[in-house]
Amino acid sequence: MTAIPNQKRTIQIKEEADISVAIDAVLQLAFGMGMNKVNRTMLATSVSELATNIFRYADQGYIDISFMEGEVHQGIKVIARDEGPGIADIDLAMKDGFSTTKSMGVGLPGVERMSDTFAIESKLGQGTIVTVEKFL
Amino acid sequence: MSKNGMSLDMIPVNELWDRILFIGLFGIIDSNRAKQVMEAMLDKIIASNSKVIILDILSVPTVDSAVANNLIKICKATKLVGAETIISGISGEIAQTIVELGIELETITTTSNLADAVELAFQRCNYELVEK
Amino acid sequence: MVSRIGVYVDGENLVVPIQQELDEEVVKQLQSDVLERISLKHLTGLVIDLSGTSVLDTFLARKLFDTCRMARLIGARPIISGMSAGMAISLIDLDFNPGDVETAVTLEDGLLRLRDTPKFDLIAQSDDDFDAEGDSFENLVKGSDVIDGDTEPKADDPD
């Protein structure tokens, strides 16, 4: 329905206010692509969580937003990357109570649930990259 | 004046009814804004001796764990000063993200639309709407 | 397994009798339908009856209980009914936490309960620090009794 432009946007996350810039950006792009409301909300909430993690745990980082135009899947891909301290125990960070997260934590299990694909790479002292995809 | 110099008058807390307050939030709620909102709400609750405050978040696009945490804090704080917060404007989509994120809001009263929240507030204050 | 599960409005309540085996797609669609219908009609109760299905793995159970929590957030009191002994036992074994979602033995029980309680009462904020709902998960097989206030969620500190 809408032409999918060949764009990629990168938002630097350094100040707390940058988080809302990232949320706005992804909401706009998702809307422009014709993503339905539920998926847009989940995607934007994921971006919010990821950007907040960058702000909280690293000095700065970036959110890359790009379009995916595969044959089977169309949607948005978000990469959240930072050169912060890294996650010591990824398995632990990806674990949560079956239905509750007692500590506000890093919210990653929730992001995984709300995304269609999820990948995380982290090296102590070097940084973290989280890649998520949300299909239309 | 709030601590960072922004006038608390800029955050309007409406007197919906006798002892019932209303505040409508819009846009993204970061920790600064949440703090300002909380201060404005508490001040007004105490000044007007209110029992219930309705906090509407229909125009808040995303509620992630940080925002939820702030909302929970606001509700706890209002309880401490003797009032209750009802959060209205929770859409189906927001409800989904809140649960998927594993956030527990269940001790807080929430509704999807404002009308329900208003009716609930009236109940709490022992008011009854009677058709003439 | 692509058939959509029908949801029915009965007064103020949404009734969801599940009469087929479930898979992820069906449950996802159900979640969407339930939330949409509750929002649209401003419903205040929800009963999901499982007596017509035999297998419920933890993933699907979680999705159903999550749907209930979501419904609660938008103002409907959720009840899950008709869980079999086998389901209950296997869910306990896998450490499943039903949290604050009420359960009933039959759909009729669920509806009765919804009709008995005054509107909004169970979503009311508790002033006391209640312990968890008091029912062990084992009691799911018998259905939990509702005594006013007992089904309040644990006053956990979410911080």
Side-chain angles (χ1 to χ4, degrees):
Chain A
M1 73 179 249
T2 35
I4 300 174
N6 190 17
Q7 289 175 27
K8 179 183 160 182
R9 279 195 63 181
T10 295
I11 296 120
Q12 185 190 45
I13 307 291
K14 206 172 152 76
E15 313 291 335
E16 192 177 9
D18 297 334
I19 298 173
S20 47
V21 175
I23 297 173
D24 274 340
V26 80
L27 274 174
Q28 271 180 42
L29 291 172
F31 182 79
M33 239 195 145
M35 191 179 282
N36 71 53
K37 187 149 194 235
V38 177
N39 288 342
R40 284 201 315 264
T41 308
M42 291 200 167
L43 178 60
T45 307
S46 297
V47 168
S48 189
E49 287 282 338
L50 295 173
T52 302
N53 285 345
I54 295 176
F55 167 68
R56 241 187 231 153
Y57 301 112
D59 277 332
Q60 71 170 31
Y62 299 89
I63 300 280
D64 300 325
I65 308 173
S66 57
F67 293 102
M68 300 184 307
E69 328 169 37
E71 269 168 32
V72 182
H73 290 304
Q74 294 191 331
I76 291 186
K77 179 178 185 155
V78 171
I79 300 175
R81 53 191 169 90
D82 66 73
E83 287 173 33
I87 298 173
D89 188 339
I90 292 191
D91 285 334
L92 192 61
M94 292 305 300
K95 207 174 154 176
D96 65 353
F98 195 24
S99 59
T100 65
T101 318
K102 287 289 148 73
S103 79
M104 280 302 123
V106 288
L108 291 175
V111 170
E112 184 180 20
R113 282 193 287 273
M114 294 193 298
S115 310
D116 291 307
T117 74
F118 176 94
I120 178 167
E121 250 185 83
S122 186
K123 287 205 171 81
L124 277 180
Q126 284 188 30
T128 307
I129 304 180
V130 180
T131 308
V132 302
E133 292 175 341
K134 190 74 180 170
F135 307 140
L136 281 190
Chain B
M1 280 290 199
S2 74
K3 284 174 214 142
N4 59 5
M6 193 177 159
S7 167
L8 288 176
D9 289 336
M10 291 183 60
I11 300 176
V13 181
N14 303 282
E15 292 182 22
L16 183 67
W17 201 259
D18 196 27
R19 308 192 77 194
I20 301 176
L21 301 175
F22 170 84
I23 180 168
L25 296 184
F26 63 92
I28 287 148
I29 311 295
D30 63 19
S31 56
N32 277 330
R33 184 143 184 85
K35 197 148 163 240
Q36 287 159 5
V37 166
M38 182 158 63
E39 277 182 44
M41 278 170 67
L42 294 176
D43 278 353
K44 189 79 183 195
I45 289 171
I46 295 169
S48 62
N49 193 19
S50 288
K51 212 164 169 232
V52 181
I53 178 160
I54 298 172
L55 181 59
D56 185 85
I57 60 168
L58 191 63
S59 306
V60 173
T62 55
V63 176
D64 66 1
S65 47
V67 172
N69 203 13
N70 285 322
L71 290 176
I72 290 166
K73 284 199 171 111
I74 288 175
C75 292
K76 282 185 172 171
T78 56
K79 188 161 188 199
L80 280 177
V81 300
E84 179 192 343
T85 304
I86 300 173
I87 298 183
S88 68
I90 299 210
S91 65
E93 297 88 28
I94 294 288
Q96 283 180 297
T97 59
I98 289 174
V99 173
E100 293 286 11
L101 286 172
I103 296 162
E104 272 194 34
L105 275 193
E106 281 90 3
T107 53
I108 298 172
T109 307
T110 57
T111 72
S112 64
N113 61 70
L114 187 53
D116 285 343
V118 172
E119 185 170 350
L120 197 51
F122 279 159
Q123 274 180 26
R124 297 274 204 273
C125 295
N126 278 322
Y127 296 143
E128 209 182 295
L129 271 176
V130 178
E131 196 173 344
K132 280 163 72 160
Chain C
M1 218 107 359
V2 273
S3 43
R4 203 161 160 170
I5 297 175
V7 301
Y8 307 95
V9 178
D10 170 35
E12 302 243 333
N13 305 315
L14 191 67
V15 181
V16 184
I18 297 182
Q19 301 286 326
Q20 62 192 60
E21 295 314 311
L22 300 170
D23 66 23
E24 185 178 346
E25 248 198 77
V26 170
V27 173
K28 226 167 155 179
Q29 180 66 55
L30 179 64
Q31 184 173 100
S32 213
D33 290 342
V34 164
L35 293 176
E36 196 196 323
R37 194 60 63 92
I38 291 177
S39 299
L40 217 61
K41 303 255 172 189
H42 296 204
L43 303 175
T44 56
L46 166 68
V47 185
I48 298 181
D49 184 73
L50 300 175
S51 55
T53 187
S54 55
V55 177
L56 194 66
D57 64 30
T58 49
F59 176 77
L60 293 176
R62 188 234 196 97
K63 277 236 150 332
L64 287 177
F65 277 76
D66 276 354
T67 303
C68 288
R69 285 185 198 102
M70 294 167 189
R72 191 191 178 101
L73 283 175
I74 55 174
R77 174 181 167 195
I79 297 180
I80 287 196
S81 66
M83 198 178 296
S84 71
M87 283 181 204
I89 291 168
S90 53
L91 290 175
I92 295 168
D93 278 343
L94 294 159
D95 244 346
F96 178 69
N97 176 23
D100 46 288
V101 178
E102 283 173 76
T103 52
V105 181
T106 65
L107 197 158
E108 288 79 7
D109 283 341
L111 281 175
L112 269 170
R113 220 186 279 174
L114 288 176
R115 277 180 208 135
D116 280 344
T117 312
K119 198 178 164 179
F120 292 128
D121 213 38
L122 274 205
I123 319 182
Q125 191 172 39
S126 165
D127 275 345
D128 310 323
D129 273 339
F130 275 108
D131 204 345
E133 47 270 9
D135 266 348
S136 62
F137 199 71
E138 278 89 340
N139 286 342
L140 279 180
V141 180
K142 296 187 289 208
S144 32
D145 279 338
V146 177
I147 300 156
D148 258 22
D150 260 3
T151 49
E152 289 294 330
K154 229 194 284 224
D156 259 343
D157 187 341
D159 277 331

